[in-house]
Amino acid sequence: MAMTSAREASVDLAPAEEMISRYLEEREAIIGLLQDIQEHYGYLPRPVLDRISERLGLPRTQLYGLATFYRAFTLKPQGKHKICVCTGTACHVRGAVPVLDRIQSDLKLAPGETTEDGQFSLQTVNCVGACALGPVVIVDGQYEGHMNTAKIRRVLRRYGLKKEDDGDAADSK
Amino acid sequence: MLRTRSDLEALQAECRKAHDPGLVTVTLCAGTGCRACGSLAVGEKLAGAIASNGFQGKVRLKRTGCHGFCERGPLVVLQPSGVFYQRVQPKHVDDILRKTIGEGALIDELLYVDPSSGSTIVKESEIPFYKKQKRVIFGMNGFIDPEEIRDYLRLGGYSGFARALSEMDGEAIIGEILRSGLRGRGGAGFPTGRKWDVCRKARGDIKYVVCNADEGDPGAFMDRSLLEGNPHRVIEGMLIGALAVGAQRGYIYVRHEYPLAVKHVAGAIAQARELGLLGENILGTGFSFDVKINRGGGAFVCGEESALILSIQGETGLPYQRPPYPAEAGLWGKPTLINNVETWAAASIIVTEGADWFNRIGTETSKGTKVFSLVGKINNTGLIEVPMGITIREVLFDIGGGIPEGHRFKAVQTGGPSGGTILVDEKGAPIRADMPAGGAAEHAVLPESLLDLPIDYESLTGAGSMMGSGGMIVMDETSCMVDVARYFLTFLTEESCGKCLPCREGIRQMLAILDRITSGRGQEGDIELLEELGGTVAETSLCALGGTAPNPLLSTIRYFRHEYVAHIRDKRCPAGVCRALLTFSIDPRACTGCGVCARECPSGAIRTRAPAPGESAPKLREGRLLHRVDPTACTKCGACFEACKFQAVSKE
């Protein structure tokens, strides 16, 4: 695992301690605990994983194995706006790839990454089951349906993408 | 707390009585699809308007699970009249209450107009999308609030379980399931009763039942909609299964991407516990059973039952060699009965209604109904439930309403990335079933085309496809079959757990070859190499993920070899999808000079030019210049193609 970053060093462990206690009490599945942690912190912070390892007596390698095997988990902090592009089959045949490419080129971001300014995180998901709206992009839980390369840019601008960022400064409107 | 079967029956009667038939019920679809279209806002407005405008005691609002017709969401159905309103927005709420409920007048703009006949349809049951369906598993969805157990009880919920509990032993229950002819709805189609019997006979002090709701196939949302819309149906099925095999504990393993399903199932479990339908000494019979939810971690391979078992145990989900099968040694080495969501729901219906009722539906070898999510290039995207034996043509054209935008049907994919394959009418089919054959001039319609294949386990397998769990993805001539194969292999490369070599390396190599082909570097012999690799991966992989991974590839080669050849030999993508092989250009005869393409182009590749002397530019507006694509700057993103309102941009 990477070195603990400054941001991670300041992680508030109290909620995690509570979740771990509840887990020990109810003998819940470890994956459920990690999901609760991920939901609360937005990712799996290293100091929290260390605490889980200590209190549960599990090797950290095992936690790392789970965290990297399952798509639900990420070890990196997430951006302010979470963009999730559905790449399910229905969205794919309706043109999800050009939409994803446009997001990547406008934000200079690959799936799984966060912009340097911490504004946007980009993810893909295998299917959200809103196929009637495909291609679908979900931004901060809001479904944006029937996307194409032009519409997605308007959506991104709503969330703070500046015009000069998308190489479209010539647009006078 | 219910202590006996008669307590349960008394409560069911009380729930029926409390449901005043004099009230108008406004049912609002609040499944994930309709929520994405804004149904929650409609619900809030409805609730507020009913409370404040004198409709209290006259109108009741019910937020239900999925009605299936996602394409037209948010949906509102009025009961008992059956009036069906589609694409309802908050601004329509006052009119629905005041005009339709108050004065009995219909609101034209919310009614469904059948695109093929142009006629306006008032009632849900008369809409073509619903007409050929047979909603058994989803029968209650439109009538109950999934967060309210009393709705389920009102419609007779838990009667089947109560009957099994007081009148049947394990053998009798399994006899009923066997007689029903039910086969596993997760994809493989193994007879459910036989699996139950193996588990019942397996020795173990503890036994488990598991509901597999790790619905990982992209484009499939049957299980989600069922758990969201009617969670008690599934829990009742698990109770019956537990009773039959002698299990004490159950797990529902559900995708974490389905937060609403998790919420509704958790609520249902809590309500069932409160009434004593889950827990110790259920209905005073000494039978004890309880259910827990396990949220999946988003790994496709965990839908495979051995991987799912390890995942519930808190480990990484790497499949292992079977036998022993889970029914004999599963969770923590104990006999474990694993069934798919739809199978559990079907089991509860069979015990409630009787095997004879169930096996009258369907064909000789495939009984009952099957739920499909009908998605992709289809007019009526949605969730459908059809009797086994219905033809693909009926599903696509009568229920699905055909292919949008006048495009031509090309193929339908069932069974997901590893399960299924592509079915196609090889000679092309008319855009609508009722169009005469001459309507599709160069593509004569075969009377015995694959479109008329009945949907049942044997027919689909015989045609080189399979039932799968129920994803049905429709494609038209703008879908590239090489790209589709590449899509599934990309998916599987990411989802292969990496434990066995044929799957881990084989899929990656097949993908590398497809990458080469779609980027214009395909070589002679690539197709043969793909076939050989695919065969090896299928034969030698450890689990079903690898075993079926080559299916989408091999089936597209089987039916669309010519498309592969076009990519390899002619460096051409006939469907216009594979970007490396495309060239964008602007037709001067259609260009108006409006400049939208230039504004949308992210790479500044659109240039302007004056018409050459004698060049015809009939659409060009006064004072404007023609546009053209500079191939040296074009990144082939397709933005201009999508942006142009005059179809002046072409790609080939």
Side-chain angles (χ1 to χ4, degrees), chain A residues 103-166:
Chain A
I103 299 173
Q104 294 194 53
S105 69
D106 278 359
L107 297 177
K108 297 166 194 71
L109 197 62
E113 291 180 354
T114 301
T115 50
E116 266 175 35
D117 61 2
Q119 284 298 301
F120 295 99
S121 293
L122 178 61
Q123 270 183 339
T124 59
V125 60
N126 284 336
C127 182
V128 295
C131 306
L133 295 175
V136 180
V137 176
I138 304 166
V139 187
D140 297 343
Q142 184 76 36
Y143 287 72
E144 308 286 349
H146 303 297
M147 280 295 117
N148 61 31
T149 52
K151 281 192 198 165
I152 188 61
R153 180 171 274 181
R154 287 197 281 277
V155 170
L156 294 180
R157 281 178 187 159
R158 255 195 356 252
Y159 287 91
L161 175 74
K162 292 185 197 73
K163 279 185 184 166
E164 59 268 30
D165 290 348
D166 58 27

Side-chain angles (χ1 to χ4, degrees), chain B residues 488-570:
Chain B
F488 282 119
L489 287 176
T490 307
F491 176 90
L492 289 162
T493 313
E494 283 164 21
E495 297 298 339
S496 170
C497 76
K499 184 173 178 176
C500 76
L501 181 130
C503 175
R504 183 185 67 232
E505 298 303 325
I507 296 175
R508 197 187 304 185
Q509 289 309 320
M510 291 190 285
L511 177 60
I513 297 170
L514 285 182
D515 277 340
R516 190 160 82 201
I517 294 175
T518 53
S519 63
R521 291 176 289 115
Q523 303 161 5
E524 290 297 328
D526 274 352
I527 299 176
E528 293 70 21
L529 189 55
L530 283 170
E531 285 174 326
E532 190 190 330
L533 262 170
T536 308
V537 170
E539 267 174 43
T540 54
S541 290
L542 175 64
C543 83
L545 188 148
T548 56
N551 278 356
L553 170 74
L554 296 178
S555 57
T556 47
I557 293 180
R558 172 174 163 188
Y559 290 115
F560 296 97
R561 202 179 188 96
H562 54 279
E563 282 197 28
Y564 283 82
V565 172
H567 283 72
I568 295 169
R569 218 168 275 166
D570 311 333

Side-chain angles (χ1 to χ4, degrees), chain B residues 297-486:
Chain B
F300 177 69
V301 72
C302 287
E304 202 280 338
E305 58 185 14
S306 65
L308 183 146
I309 283 170
L310 292 178
S311 183
I312 292 180
Q313 292 176 189
E315 298 165 46
T316 47
L318 306 177
Y320 54 80
Q321 185 80 47
R322 299 169 305 164
Y325 288 96
E328 293 171 310
L331 275 173
W332 295 286
K334 307 292 183 187
T336 304
L337 181 58
I338 304 179
N339 282 128
N340 156 276
V341 177
E342 197 181 329
T343 314
W344 286 121
S348 93
I349 291 167
I350 288 163
V351 174
T352 308
E353 305 287 338
D356 296 325
W357 178 85
F358 186 85
N359 70 25
R360 273 200 294 273
I361 308 167
T363 68
E364 194 55 41
T365 54
S366 305
K367 298 295 185 188
T369 58
K370 179 76 195 86
V371 183
F372 289 98
S373 60
L374 186 59
V375 300
K377 300 291 187 71
I378 187 89
N379 273 318
N380 300 335
T381 293
L383 198 71
I384 63 165
E385 183 175 351
V386 289
M388 293 279 193
I390 194 170
T391 66
I392 290 177
R393 185 190 300 278
E394 288 173 286
V395 167
L396 297 186
F397 295 98
D398 297 344
I399 297 172
I403 315 299
E405 293 166 19
H407 287 303
R408 196 190 313 282
F409 166 73
K410 186 170 185 177
V412 54
Q413 205 271 345
T414 64
S418 72
T421 175
I422 309 263
L423 258 181
V424 64
D425 178 353
E426 292 183 72
K427 294 286 164 81
I431 292 155
R432 288 194 50 83
D434 49 14
M435 181 189 278
E442 73 278 32
H443 293 264
V445 184
L446 290 183
E448 288 291 324
S449 72
L450 285 174
L451 269 178
D452 291 310
L453 197 73
I455 295 177
D456 62 60
Y457 290 98
E458 279 70 26
S459 302
L460 287 177
T461 308
S465 179
M466 69 182 283
M467 183 73 76
S469 64
M472 192 177 266
I473 294 114
V474 185
M475 297 170 209
D476 64 16
E477 84 270 19
T478 64
S479 312
C480 168
M481 293 298 120
V482 185
D483 173 70
V484 167
R486 182 170 163 267

Side-chain angles (χ1 to χ4, degrees), chain A residues 26 30 32 35-36 69-72 87-89 92-94 101-102 126-129 131-133 148-150 168, chain B residues 36 218-219 224 255-256 292 295-298 311 314-315 317 375-377 381 483 487 491 495 579 599-600 602 639 642:
Chain A
E26 297 175 12
I30 177 80
Q35 271 157 342
D36 290 342
F69 181 82
Y70 292 104
R71 276 178 90 97
T87 52
T89 324
H92 180 84
V93 300
R94 287 184 178 198
D101 285 352
R102 170 55 59 91
N126 284 336
C127 182
V128 295
C131 306
L133 295 175
N148 61 31
T149 52
D168 196 14
Chain B
R224 184 201 70 195
R255 280 181 88 195
H256 82 111
K292 266 192 172 185
R295 283 170 296 158
S311 183
E315 298 165 46
V375 300
K377 300 291 187 71
T381 293
D483 173 70
Y487 166 79
F491 176 90
E495 297 298 339
R579 268 190 274 162
R599 277 208 297 280
E600 290 299 338
E642 278 174 5

Side-chain angles (χ1 to χ4, degrees), chain A residues 7-36:
Chain A
R7 180 168 170 183
E8 288 199 308
S10 63
V11 162
D12 177 14
L13 284 175
E17 299 283 4
E18 214 171 280
M19 287 178 215
I20 299 169
S21 300
R22 200 167 57 227
Y23 163 85
L24 287 168
E25 230 166 75
E26 297 175 12
R27 300 170 44 100
E28 284 293 343
I30 177 80
I31 294 167
L33 170 64
L34 295 180
Q35 271 157 342
D36 290 342

